[in-house]
Amino acid sequence: MNKRQNESFTNNKEQKKSKSTEISDEEDYFNYYSPFSNIDSLSDNGSLLEENNLQQGDIQENQTNNLNDKIEKEKQILSQIQVKDNIIVGMQSDDKSSFVEALLGFQFNTVESQIGTRRPLILQMINDPKAEQPICYFIKENVTTELEEQPTPVHLLEKEIKERTEKLCGNTNVSDKPIILKVNYQYCANLTIVDTPGFRKGEKDPLAEKINICVTSYIKQPNTIIVALEQSTVEWCNSQVRPIIKQYDPNFKRTVFVITKFNNRLNQFSTEQETNGYLATDNKIKDLSKVFYISLPSGYGIRNLAENDFKKRLVEVYLKDYKKLCQVGWDEKKFKLNLGFFNLKSYLEKLLNNKYISSSDTALKLLNQQVDDNNNELQKLETLLKDFNLEKIKDQTLNITNAYITNVVDALHGTTQFKNIKCGLTLKEERNDSNFKDWPNFSEQLQEKLPIINANYKLYGGAQLQRLLLEFEIVGHAQEFPVTTDEEVALSTGVCSKHTVPDYISTVTDLVQKKCIKVFKPLITKLLKRCNFVISHLFTLIYNYMMHIISKNSKNFLKHISKVSLEFLKSLIHQLKSKILDGFDSFIKVLDWNTKIDSLKEDEGIMKYDLLNPIIDNTTERVAAIIKDNDNSIFKNLMTDDFKRRNLTEENYKTIKNIAALLFARVRTMFVKCIKAHLNVFLIEPMFNTYQSYVRQSLLSLSNEELTVLLGLDITKLNLEKTNYQLQISKLLETRQLFTNFLEQVKK
């Protein structure tokens, strides 16, 4: 120690002590220069440090700060206004996590040299004089309003944070989804802080941009307090953190600067002028009251310390810094409150408390608004209960049901009642919205040559269903006999148990049956899917239309009617599918070789008599012609000598395939007609008749209680809500009175 430093040190000692006895340097510094003469009394109840502790030399046992207690009681109210958290930012390895531990009063965090914090850690710290040991609850990851069922022991916190981080981020990534931890402890601060991942150097660092986006999403909020950490070894002119913060807080009005690892810088000071120049930030920061210089426990063996040992280490590193400054020389009067973690902690608590107090008027207005809102809701409930009438409810539900049914039936009959631009669909829109892929064997070229009528019109209801039936008819008739190989003919030709001649009639029948199943069955599936969509779309249209014209309380009942309608449709489509497939299987199983391809054209040659005034000769001639026509020519083609042997020629194969194609064409005509008939009988007709009775019956099956619940008039629930509102209002009034008293006391 040089002469000037020794004199400064001696003078400081003389100013601070009144005893004449000599003591050792270490004991002297501990007892007279520390704000904590008795280490065991350090923040025993979590209160803030008194600003004159550095000058007094005797430390009074800290008592609970009354102002903090009152503010804590009002936190539930104040949390609803725009007073935000302390956001801790800094470069990687700037001691952010260690700083968080110091605020908590115990060690737990992930302190690593590679990347450290990889998810924001939100710490809700509550100074609880009764909590002699830290009580730590994580907030559930997927339900951010609920605490975990059991607290997490301190020694498992680091492991839990690592597991939650790695589960979301893997081993190397980062995430902006925070981990939230609530801590009650008698030695922790009254603060809510966010420990963010550290900024990283290097534009090519894959994580740098992600971390920057994550951190800035917090600090750009205008009401947050930014706690900017930076290592003391970084020169003021080379700061990497300040330029980032300046983008969001240009004048540093809401930023507190914390220079960490101050002990490393202290070793470089040799003169008082040099020390004071550094502490004055080389004039880079105007408001020096917001700049703090701290050292935290570091080095070998400082992890996993017991709470009391950690507390003592915090004091020791502070004392070493203080002693070094006194040895070198510094403007203690000017910078005494900027030194050490404890002054910083005191400043942050007071800063946040002042923000709560300054926002108290807004909180009171919010309380008054909550009282008014709850009173209004209570009045509505009381009116609803008073006017409750079961007969009116039944009439109301019946009217809604009848209106819904009427709208559906009108839309099926055809109506311009609904806005087609908003409600209708073109054919292309219908296909897209129903996730409908193209019809099988109906190419784009065929679609161009066989356009669907009204394809570009926005249709709904019966008009939309009619267009679908026309579309199916065109698609059905457009199906052609699939390519058939000679091998398929050979495979379909078996032996007969009654004679030695091959049964080529059975060959043709087998080929046609298989080709019909392959071609026509997929059309049935496609058609039913589209029918379901068209009618479901109609139900949705009616539901949306009525939602705008019925009362708010009736909307749940309307949802019920819509649900019942969809249940009916589901049952109807299932029944329709069963009927169609049964009918299809019937006329495919036993083929009618006498089916005409174009009966109307052939009948024109027969029906040349007065159909309204027929005579007996007309009837005789027509029936005889039909019976004669049953001697089918295509059947005769298979009865020639060429087909009485097993060895078929190429021409024989072609003849069999031609006959099969002709029979397929006859089945095709019958198939289209059969499907259309089934749709009319088992879909359209029930929608006009059975549907109405089904929906009305569902209404009658509802109990009185179910009806009232659907209309939002569950009497038991309403009475419970009334009681809850009354209790809530009572609590709000009590809280308002307490808060009003609190404001009056504070403003004195």
PDB file of all heavy atoms in Angstrom, residues 589-615:
ATOM      1  N   LYS A 589     -75.859 -59.154 -59.657  1.00  0.00           N
ATOM      2  CA  LYS A 589     -75.771 -60.578 -59.350  1.00  0.00           C
ATOM      3  C   LYS A 589     -76.446 -61.426 -60.425  1.00  0.00           C
ATOM      4  O   LYS A 589     -75.931 -62.471 -60.833  1.00  0.00           O
ATOM      5  CB  LYS A 589     -76.413 -60.849 -57.986  1.00  0.00           C
ATOM      6  CG  LYS A 589     -76.241 -62.276 -57.502  1.00  0.00           C
ATOM      7  CD  LYS A 589     -76.777 -62.445 -56.090  1.00  0.00           C
ATOM      8  CE  LYS A 589     -76.547 -63.856 -55.582  1.00  0.00           C
ATOM      9  NZ  LYS A 589     -77.061 -64.036 -54.199  1.00  0.00           N
ATOM     10  N   VAL A 590     -77.630 -60.998 -60.866  1.00  0.00           N
ATOM     11  CA  VAL A 590     -78.350 -61.715 -61.935  1.00  0.00           C
ATOM     12  C   VAL A 590     -78.581 -60.726 -63.070  1.00  0.00           C
ATOM     13  O   VAL A 590     -79.470 -59.875 -62.997  1.00  0.00           O
ATOM     14  CB  VAL A 590     -79.691 -62.284 -61.430  1.00  0.00           C
ATOM     15  CG1 VAL A 590     -80.402 -63.006 -62.565  1.00  0.00           C
ATOM     16  CG2 VAL A 590     -79.472 -63.208 -60.242  1.00  0.00           C
ATOM     17  N   LEU A 591     -77.769 -60.800 -64.120  1.00  0.00           N
ATOM     18  CA  LEU A 591     -77.844 -59.832 -65.211  1.00  0.00           C
ATOM     19  C   LEU A 591     -79.035 -60.128 -66.116  1.00  0.00           C
ATOM     20  O   LEU A 591     -79.325 -61.290 -66.443  1.00  0.00           O
ATOM     21  CB  LEU A 591     -76.552 -59.866 -66.037  1.00  0.00           C
ATOM     22  CG  LEU A 591     -75.295 -59.351 -65.325  1.00  0.00           C
ATOM     23  CD1 LEU A 591     -74.087 -59.475 -66.255  1.00  0.00           C
ATOM     24  CD2 LEU A 591     -75.486 -57.901 -64.905  1.00  0.00           C
ATOM     25  N   ASP A 592     -79.713 -59.085 -66.554  1.00  0.00           N
ATOM     26  CA  ASP A 592     -80.844 -59.196 -67.467  1.00  0.00           C
ATOM     27  C   ASP A 592     -80.341 -58.977 -68.883  1.00  0.00           C
ATOM     28  O   ASP A 592     -80.048 -57.862 -69.301  1.00  0.00           O
ATOM     29  CB  ASP A 592     -81.894 -58.147 -67.103  1.00  0.00           C
ATOM     30  CG  ASP A 592     -83.148 -58.284 -67.958  1.00  0.00           C
ATOM     31  OD1 ASP A 592     -83.170 -59.172 -68.832  1.00  0.00           O
ATOM     32  OD2 ASP A 592     -84.082 -57.498 -67.735  1.00  0.00           O
ATOM     33  N   TRP A 593     -80.220 -60.056 -69.617  1.00  0.00           N
ATOM     34  CA  TRP A 593     -79.688 -59.969 -70.985  1.00  0.00           C
ATOM     35  C   TRP A 593     -80.668 -59.286 -71.928  1.00  0.00           C
ATOM     36  O   TRP A 593     -80.321 -58.960 -73.059  1.00  0.00           O
ATOM     37  CB  TRP A 593     -79.356 -61.370 -71.510  1.00  0.00           C
ATOM     38  CG  TRP A 593     -78.068 -61.906 -70.952  1.00  0.00           C
ATOM     39  CD1 TRP A 593     -77.784 -62.139 -69.657  1.00  0.00           C
ATOM     40  CD2 TRP A 593     -76.910 -62.249 -71.697  1.00  0.00           C
ATOM     41  NE1 TRP A 593     -76.516 -62.609 -69.511  1.00  0.00           N
ATOM     42  CE2 TRP A 593     -75.939 -62.703 -70.765  1.00  0.00           C
ATOM     43  CE3 TRP A 593     -76.584 -62.247 -73.064  1.00  0.00           C
ATOM     44  CZ2 TRP A 593     -74.673 -63.131 -71.156  1.00  0.00           C
ATOM     45  CZ3 TRP A 593     -75.334 -62.682 -73.458  1.00  0.00           C
ATOM     46  CH2 TRP A 593     -74.379 -63.110 -72.515  1.00  0.00           C
ATOM     47  N   ASN A 594     -81.918 -59.112 -71.498  1.00  0.00           N
ATOM     48  CA  ASN A 594     -82.908 -58.489 -72.374  1.00  0.00           C
ATOM     49  C   ASN A 594     -83.036 -56.979 -72.143  1.00  0.00           C
ATOM     50  O   ASN A 594     -83.922 -56.340 -72.671  1.00  0.00           O
ATOM     51  CB  ASN A 594     -84.277 -59.140 -72.151  1.00  0.00           C
ATOM     52  CG  ASN A 594     -84.269 -60.605 -72.572  1.00  0.00           C
ATOM     53  OD1 ASN A 594     -83.766 -60.938 -73.634  1.00  0.00           O
ATOM     54  ND2 ASN A 594     -84.801 -61.466 -71.709  1.00  0.00           N
ATOM     55  N   THR A 595     -82.188 -56.413 -71.332  1.00  0.00           N
ATOM     56  CA  THR A 595     -82.240 -54.980 -71.064  1.00  0.00           C
ATOM     57  C   THR A 595     -81.902 -54.212 -72.321  1.00  0.00           C
ATOM     58  O   THR A 595     -80.895 -54.473 -72.977  1.00  0.00           O
ATOM     59  CB  THR A 595     -81.225 -54.609 -69.970  1.00  0.00           C
ATOM     60  OG1 THR A 595     -81.479 -55.406 -68.833  1.00  0.00           O
ATOM     61  CG2 THR A 595     -81.319 -53.149 -69.613  1.00  0.00           C
ATOM     62  N   LYS A 596     -82.741 -53.247 -72.656  1.00  0.00           N
ATOM     63  CA  LYS A 596     -82.529 -52.453 -73.868  1.00  0.00           C
ATOM     64  C   LYS A 596     -81.597 -51.287 -73.558  1.00  0.00           C
ATOM     65  O   LYS A 596     -81.649 -50.700 -72.493  1.00  0.00           O
ATOM     66  CB  LYS A 596     -83.857 -51.924 -74.406  1.00  0.00           C
ATOM     67  CG  LYS A 596     -84.826 -53.013 -74.804  1.00  0.00           C
ATOM     68  CD  LYS A 596     -86.093 -52.410 -75.342  1.00  0.00           C
ATOM     69  CE  LYS A 596     -87.136 -53.488 -75.658  1.00  0.00           C
ATOM     70  NZ  LYS A 596     -86.654 -54.449 -76.638  1.00  0.00           N
ATOM     71  N   ILE A 597     -80.802 -50.930 -74.537  1.00  0.00           N
ATOM     72  CA  ILE A 597     -79.884 -49.809 -74.374  1.00  0.00           C
ATOM     73  C   ILE A 597     -80.637 -48.497 -74.468  1.00  0.00           C
ATOM     74  O   ILE A 597     -80.435 -47.580 -73.696  1.00  0.00           O
ATOM     75  CB  ILE A 597     -78.777 -49.861 -75.440  1.00  0.00           C
ATOM     76  CG1 ILE A 597     -77.989 -51.158 -75.317  1.00  0.00           C
ATOM     77  CG2 ILE A 597     -77.864 -48.649 -75.323  1.00  0.00           C
ATOM     78  CD1 ILE A 597     -76.948 -51.339 -76.400  1.00  0.00           C
ATOM     79  N   ASP A 598     -81.506 -48.409 -75.423  1.00  0.00           N
ATOM     80  CA  ASP A 598     -82.236 -47.152 -75.626  1.00  0.00           C
ATOM     81  C   ASP A 598     -83.689 -47.500 -75.871  1.00  0.00           C
ATOM     82  O   ASP A 598     -84.147 -47.556 -77.002  1.00  0.00           O
ATOM     83  CB  ASP A 598     -81.643 -46.384 -76.815  1.00  0.00           C
ATOM     84  CG  ASP A 598     -82.135 -44.947 -76.866  1.00  0.00           C
ATOM     85  OD1 ASP A 598     -83.131 -44.664 -76.182  1.00  0.00           O
ATOM     86  OD2 ASP A 598     -81.525 -44.131 -77.568  1.00  0.00           O
ATOM     87  N   SER A 599     -84.405 -47.742 -74.800  1.00  0.00           N
ATOM     88  CA  SER A 599     -85.772 -48.242 -74.902  1.00  0.00           C
ATOM     89  C   SER A 599     -86.692 -47.243 -75.567  1.00  0.00           C
ATOM     90  O   SER A 599     -87.610 -47.618 -76.276  1.00  0.00           O
ATOM     91  CB  SER A 599     -86.295 -48.599 -73.513  1.00  0.00           C
ATOM     92  OG  SER A 599     -86.253 -47.461 -72.674  1.00  0.00           O
ATOM     93  N   LEU A 600     -86.435 -45.960 -75.360  1.00  0.00           N
ATOM     94  CA  LEU A 600     -87.335 -44.946 -75.913  1.00  0.00           C
ATOM     95  C   LEU A 600     -87.306 -44.989 -77.434  1.00  0.00           C
ATOM     96  O   LEU A 600     -88.331 -44.930 -78.095  1.00  0.00           O
ATOM     97  CB  LEU A 600     -86.922 -43.556 -75.412  1.00  0.00           C
ATOM     98  CG  LEU A 600     -87.767 -42.394 -75.921  1.00  0.00           C
ATOM     99  CD1 LEU A 600     -89.220 -42.563 -75.484  1.00  0.00           C
ATOM    100  CD2 LEU A 600     -87.223 -41.048 -75.417  1.00  0.00           C
ATOM    101  N   LYS A 601     -86.085 -45.123 -77.987  1.00  0.00           N
ATOM    102  CA  LYS A 601     -85.953 -45.139 -79.443  1.00  0.00           C
ATOM    103  C   LYS A 601     -86.636 -46.365 -80.036  1.00  0.00           C
ATOM    104  O   LYS A 601     -87.315 -46.283 -81.058  1.00  0.00           O
ATOM    105  CB  LYS A 601     -84.478 -45.122 -79.819  1.00  0.00           C
ATOM    106  CG  LYS A 601     -84.235 -45.041 -81.323  1.00  0.00           C
ATOM    107  CD  LYS A 601     -82.754 -44.920 -81.607  1.00  0.00           C
ATOM    108  CE  LYS A 601     -82.499 -44.837 -83.109  1.00  0.00           C
ATOM    109  NZ  LYS A 601     -81.057 -44.739 -83.420  1.00  0.00           N
ATOM    110  N   GLU A 602     -86.486 -47.524 -79.406  1.00  0.00           N
ATOM    111  CA  GLU A 602     -87.104 -48.738 -79.916  1.00  0.00           C
ATOM    112  C   GLU A 602     -88.618 -48.695 -79.749  1.00  0.00           C
ATOM    113  O   GLU A 602     -89.358 -49.180 -80.584  1.00  0.00           O
ATOM    114  CB  GLU A 602     -86.522 -49.954 -79.186  1.00  0.00           C
ATOM    115  CG  GLU A 602     -85.042 -50.169 -79.501  1.00  0.00           C
ATOM    116  CD  GLU A 602     -84.470 -51.378 -78.808  1.00  0.00           C
ATOM    117  OE1 GLU A 602     -85.265 -52.171 -78.293  1.00  0.00           O
ATOM    118  OE2 GLU A 602     -83.244 -51.534 -78.769  1.00  0.00           O
ATOM    119  N   ASP A 603     -89.064 -48.092 -78.636  1.00  0.00           N
ATOM    120  CA  ASP A 603     -90.498 -48.036 -78.394  1.00  0.00           C
ATOM    121  C   ASP A 603     -91.217 -47.123 -79.374  1.00  0.00           C
ATOM    122  O   ASP A 603     -92.415 -47.269 -79.601  1.00  0.00           O
ATOM    123  CB  ASP A 603     -90.769 -47.531 -76.974  1.00  0.00           C
ATOM    124  CG  ASP A 603     -90.444 -48.622 -75.961  1.00  0.00           C
ATOM    125  OD1 ASP A 603     -90.285 -49.776 -76.388  1.00  0.00           O
ATOM    126  OD2 ASP A 603     -90.324 -48.286 -74.759  1.00  0.00           O
ATOM    127  N   GLU A 604     -90.443 -46.185 -79.952  1.00  0.00           N
ATOM    128  CA  GLU A 604     -91.096 -45.249 -80.877  1.00  0.00           C
ATOM    129  C   GLU A 604     -91.683 -45.980 -82.092  1.00  0.00           C
ATOM    130  O   GLU A 604     -92.685 -45.573 -82.658  1.00  0.00           O
ATOM    131  CB  GLU A 604     -90.081 -44.200 -81.347  1.00  0.00           C
ATOM    132  CG  GLU A 604     -89.739 -43.185 -80.290  1.00  0.00           C
ATOM    133  CD  GLU A 604     -88.669 -42.214 -80.742  1.00  0.00           C
ATOM    134  OE1 GLU A 604     -88.084 -42.431 -81.835  1.00  0.00           O
ATOM    135  OE2 GLU A 604     -88.409 -41.258 -80.010  1.00  0.00           O
ATOM    136  N   GLY A 605     -91.035 -47.075 -82.429  1.00  0.00           N
ATOM    137  CA  GLY A 605     -91.545 -47.827 -83.574  1.00  0.00           C
ATOM    138  C   GLY A 605     -92.771 -48.642 -83.228  1.00  0.00           C
ATOM    139  O   GLY A 605     -93.489 -49.096 -84.107  1.00  0.00           O
ATOM    140  N   ILE A 606     -93.006 -48.874 -81.927  1.00  0.00           N
ATOM    141  CA  ILE A 606     -94.127 -49.704 -81.499  1.00  0.00           C
ATOM    142  C   ILE A 606     -95.337 -48.855 -81.131  1.00  0.00           C
ATOM    143  O   ILE A 606     -96.464 -49.154 -81.489  1.00  0.00           O
ATOM    144  CB  ILE A 606     -93.701 -50.577 -80.312  1.00  0.00           C
ATOM    145  CG1 ILE A 606     -92.557 -51.502 -80.755  1.00  0.00           C
ATOM    146  CG2 ILE A 606     -94.856 -51.380 -79.768  1.00  0.00           C
ATOM    147  CD1 ILE A 606     -91.967 -52.290 -79.617  1.00  0.00           C
ATOM    148  N   MET A 607     -95.063 -47.788 -80.374  1.00  0.00           N
ATOM    149  CA  MET A 607     -96.154 -47.002 -79.803  1.00  0.00           C
ATOM    150  C   MET A 607     -96.669 -45.951 -80.785  1.00  0.00           C
ATOM    151  O   MET A 607     -96.655 -44.757 -80.498  1.00  0.00           O
ATOM    152  CB  MET A 607     -95.694 -46.356 -78.495  1.00  0.00           C
ATOM    153  CG  MET A 607     -95.261 -47.379 -77.462  1.00  0.00           C
ATOM    154  SD  MET A 607     -94.764 -46.610 -75.936  1.00  0.00           S
ATOM    155  CE  MET A 607     -94.223 -48.017 -75.001  1.00  0.00           C
ATOM    156  N   LYS A 608     -97.071 -46.390 -81.954  1.00  0.00           N
ATOM    157  CA  LYS A 608     -97.629 -45.466 -82.932  1.00  0.00           C
ATOM    158  C   LYS A 608     -99.150 -45.573 -82.953  1.00  0.00           C
ATOM    159  O   LYS A 608     -99.779 -45.743 -83.984  1.00  0.00           O
ATOM    160  CB  LYS A 608     -97.059 -45.766 -84.320  1.00  0.00           C
ATOM    161  CG  LYS A 608     -95.574 -45.474 -84.412  1.00  0.00           C
ATOM    162  CD  LYS A 608     -95.053 -45.718 -85.820  1.00  0.00           C
ATOM    163  CE  LYS A 608     -93.574 -45.393 -85.923  1.00  0.00           C
ATOM    164  NZ  LYS A 608     -93.027 -45.624 -87.271  1.00  0.00           N
ATOM    165  N   TYR A 609     -99.710 -45.525 -81.770  1.00  0.00           N
ATOM    166  CA  TYR A 609    -101.175 -45.515 -81.689  1.00  0.00           C
ATOM    167  C   TYR A 609    -101.563 -44.525 -80.620  1.00  0.00           C
ATOM    168  O   TYR A 609    -100.713 -44.002 -79.871  1.00  0.00           O
ATOM    169  CB  TYR A 609    -101.726 -46.924 -81.388  1.00  0.00           C
ATOM    170  CG  TYR A 609    -101.198 -47.563 -80.126  1.00  0.00           C
ATOM    171  CD1 TYR A 609    -101.802 -47.302 -78.886  1.00  0.00           C
ATOM    172  CD2 TYR A 609    -100.131 -48.458 -80.163  1.00  0.00           C
ATOM    173  CE1 TYR A 609    -101.337 -47.907 -77.736  1.00  0.00           C
ATOM    174  CE2 TYR A 609     -99.663 -49.056 -79.011  1.00  0.00           C
ATOM    175  CZ  TYR A 609    -100.273 -48.784 -77.796  1.00  0.00           C
ATOM    176  OH  TYR A 609     -99.819 -49.372 -76.652  1.00  0.00           O
ATOM    177  N   ASP A 610    -102.875 -44.278 -80.545  1.00  0.00           N
ATOM    178  CA  ASP A 610    -103.395 -43.293 -79.589  1.00  0.00           C
ATOM    179  C   ASP A 610    -103.311 -43.885 -78.179  1.00  0.00           C
ATOM    180  O   ASP A 610    -104.113 -44.731 -77.803  1.00  0.00           O
ATOM    181  CB  ASP A 610    -104.844 -42.944 -79.934  1.00  0.00           C
ATOM    182  CG  ASP A 610    -105.359 -41.787 -79.082  1.00  0.00           C
ATOM    183  OD1 ASP A 610    -104.636 -41.387 -78.120  1.00  0.00           O
ATOM    184  OD2 ASP A 610    -106.452 -41.284 -79.362  1.00  0.00           O
ATOM    185  N   LEU A 611    -102.336 -43.412 -77.424  1.00  0.00           N
ATOM    186  CA  LEU A 611    -102.113 -43.970 -76.090  1.00  0.00           C
ATOM    187  C   LEU A 611    -103.233 -43.627 -75.130  1.00  0.00           C
ATOM    188  O   LEU A 611    -103.438 -44.312 -74.126  1.00  0.00           O
ATOM    189  CB  LEU A 611    -100.778 -43.465 -75.523  1.00  0.00           C
ATOM    190  CG  LEU A 611     -99.522 -43.878 -76.318  1.00  0.00           C
ATOM    191  CD1 LEU A 611     -98.281 -43.279 -75.682  1.00  0.00           C
ATOM    192  CD2 LEU A 611     -99.405 -45.388 -76.398  1.00  0.00           C
ATOM    193  N   LEU A 612    -103.986 -42.565 -75.446  1.00  0.00           N
ATOM    194  CA  LEU A 612    -105.087 -42.177 -74.573  1.00  0.00           C
ATOM    195  C   LEU A 612    -106.361 -42.961 -74.886  1.00  0.00           C
ATOM    196  O   LEU A 612    -107.242 -43.082 -74.026  1.00  0.00           O
ATOM    197  CB  LEU A 612    -105.354 -40.672 -74.698  1.00  0.00           C
ATOM    198  CG  LEU A 612    -104.178 -39.762 -74.298  1.00  0.00           C
ATOM    199  CD1 LEU A 612    -104.567 -38.296 -74.491  1.00  0.00           C
ATOM    200  CD2 LEU A 612    -103.776 -40.017 -72.852  1.00  0.00           C
ATOM    201  N   ASN A 613    -106.430 -43.503 -76.104  1.00  0.00           N
ATOM    202  CA  ASN A 613    -107.630 -44.272 -76.499  1.00  0.00           C
ATOM    203  C   ASN A 613    -107.210 -45.554 -77.212  1.00  0.00           C
ATOM    204  O   ASN A 613    -107.500 -45.770 -78.394  1.00  0.00           O
ATOM    205  CB  ASN A 613    -108.523 -43.428 -77.420  1.00  0.00           C
ATOM    206  CG  ASN A 613    -109.005 -42.158 -76.743  1.00  0.00           C
ATOM    207  OD1 ASN A 613    -109.821 -42.204 -75.831  1.00  0.00           O
ATOM    208  ND2 ASN A 613    -108.469 -41.021 -77.188  1.00  0.00           N
ATOM    209  N   PRO A 614    -106.499 -46.438 -76.520  1.00  0.00           N
ATOM    210  CA  PRO A 614    -106.015 -47.651 -77.187  1.00  0.00           C
ATOM    211  C   PRO A 614    -107.154 -48.655 -77.439  1.00  0.00           C
ATOM    212  O   PRO A 614    -108.124 -48.691 -76.693  1.00  0.00           O
ATOM    213  CB  PRO A 614    -105.013 -48.210 -76.179  1.00  0.00           C
ATOM    214  CG  PRO A 614    -105.519 -47.721 -74.860  1.00  0.00           C
ATOM    215  CD  PRO A 614    -106.122 -46.382 -75.117  1.00  0.00           C
ATOM    216  N   ILE A 615    -106.977 -49.428 -78.515  1.00  0.00           N
ATOM    217  CA  ILE A 615    -107.911 -50.526 -78.788  1.00  0.00           C
ATOM    218  C   ILE A 615    -107.175 -51.825 -78.513  1.00  0.00           C
ATOM    219  O   ILE A 615    -105.956 -51.847 -78.347  1.00  0.00           O
ATOM    220  CB  ILE A 615    -108.433 -50.477 -80.235  1.00  0.00           C
ATOM    221  CG1 ILE A 615    -107.251 -50.590 -81.223  1.00  0.00           C
ATOM    222  CG2 ILE A 615    -109.234 -49.201 -80.484  1.00  0.00           C
ATOM    223  CD1 ILE A 615    -107.693 -50.624 -82.684  1.00  0.00           C
TER     224      ILE A 615
END
